[in-house]
């Protein structure tokens, strides 16, 4: 299953099909962005093997410049611009008519700190299943406690994410040597 009503919090068991759907979306996004993209990656919890996740595919589009992007072509593919409360990066989503969000596309400078945060976190979680299990436990607890308020769920992960991102960046630095 993919999709979640905007603003709600619900976790789904890991679905191996998420990777296939993400690859299909990445193929479409390469067609949209072409040479303006340096890299396009499946990120977020649906990209972490074996853990429960909000069933929304997160894709990061790393671009060399935030100027001159083919955003009209993205809109033509059905994506809609949304406000990103966490950063100045662009956020586009796919939603059904009943406001079920299935995809989030984060457009940001390639090789930026946020780009590395997305990719390094995913790689760290996939390299250490015990860390991924701990992250899943936190997500389950927050989903149960947040009273279906998306901001409370996300804010509840803040300290964990800050600490884990430090470890993930260190892991990435050493694994690329």
């Amino acid at each position: 299953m993919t999709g979640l009503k905007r603003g709600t919090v619900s976790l789904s068991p890991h679905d191996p099909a998420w990777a296939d759907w993400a690859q299909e979306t990445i193929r479409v996004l390469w067609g949209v962005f072409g040479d303006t993209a340096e890299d396009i990656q499946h990120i977020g919890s649906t990209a972490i093997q074996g853990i429960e996740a909000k069933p929304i595919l997160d894709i990061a589009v790393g671009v060399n410049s935030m100027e001159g992007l083919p955003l009209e072509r993205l809109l033509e593919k059905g994506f809609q611009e949304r406000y990103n409360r966490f950063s100045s990066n662009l956020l586009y989503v796919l939603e059904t008519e009943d406001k079920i969000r299935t995809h989030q596309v984060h457009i940001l400078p390639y090789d930026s700190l946020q780009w590395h945060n997305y990719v390094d976190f995913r790689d760290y979680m996939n390299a250490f299943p015990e860390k991924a299990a701990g992250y899943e436990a936190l997500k389950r607890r927050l989903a149960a406690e947040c009273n279906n308020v998306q901001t409370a769920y996300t804010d509840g992960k803040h300290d964990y994410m800050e600490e884990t991102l430090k470890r993930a960046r260190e892991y990435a630095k050493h694994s690329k040597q």
Side-chain angles (χ1 to χ4, degrees):
M1 174 202 141
T2 302
L4 193 60
K5 189 141 181 102
R6 187 186 331 163
T8 63
V9 178
S10 178
L11 301 178
S12 295
H14 182 80
D15 186 341
W18 289 338
D20 296 332
W21 294 329
Q23 286 309 307
E24 175 58 24
T25 303
I26 289 168
R27 186 191 63 75
V28 168
L29 292 171
W30 275 116
V32 168
F33 284 91
D35 291 345
T36 61
E38 185 68 28
D39 197 1
I40 303 176
Q41 295 279 326
H42 180 200
I43 59 164
S45 295
T46 60
I48 300 170
Q49 294 301 309
I51 70 166
E52 291 183 5
K54 290 187 307 171
I56 300 171
L57 298 178
D58 282 286
I59 308 291
V61 178
V63 297
N64 290 316
S65 171
M66 296 298 283
E67 303 296 320
L69 296 172
L71 300 178
E72 283 300 316
R73 290 199 318 228
L74 194 57
L75 295 171
E76 290 168 6
K77 295 291 184 186
F79 289 88
Q80 304 163 14
E81 186 174 11
R82 290 290 183 260
Y83 170 72
N84 187 346
R85 79 179 183 107
F86 298 106
S87 74
S88 61
N89 301 331
L90 298 176
L91 175 65
Y92 282 76
V93 302
L94 274 180
E95 289 180 346
T96 66
E97 289 179 14
D98 359 346
K99 303 295 181 208
I100 303 295
R101 184 172 292 185
T102 60
H103 296 70
Q104 299 183 136
V105 175
H106 309 265
I107 305 166
L108 65 157
Y110 178 73
D111 212 25
S112 63
L113 176 61
Q114 186 59 51
W115 173 267
H116 287 286
N117 284 347
Y118 285 145
V119 174
D120 294 349
F121 182 80
R122 177 206 59 205
D123 292 350
Y124 180 72
M125 288 290 141
N126 282 323
F128 298 99
E130 69 281 3
K131 301 290 185 190
Y135 181 50
E136 178 184 50
L138 171 66
K139 290 164 65 71
R140 284 180 179 165
R141 180 179 61 79
L142 291 171
E145 293 174 357
C146 77
N147 202 23
N148 210 27
V149 176
Q150 172 64 40
T151 54
Y153 172 81
T154 304
D155 291 348
K157 295 190 299 183
H158 180 269
D159 292 344
Y160 173 87
M161 292 300 292
E162 288 296 314
E163 186 59 36
T164 304
L165 283 169
K166 290 177 193 172
R167 292 187 189 113
R169 283 190 292 270
E170 194 64 28
Y171 169 76
K173 185 169 69 173
H174 288 93
S175 67
K176 293 175 185 169
Q177 293 179 353

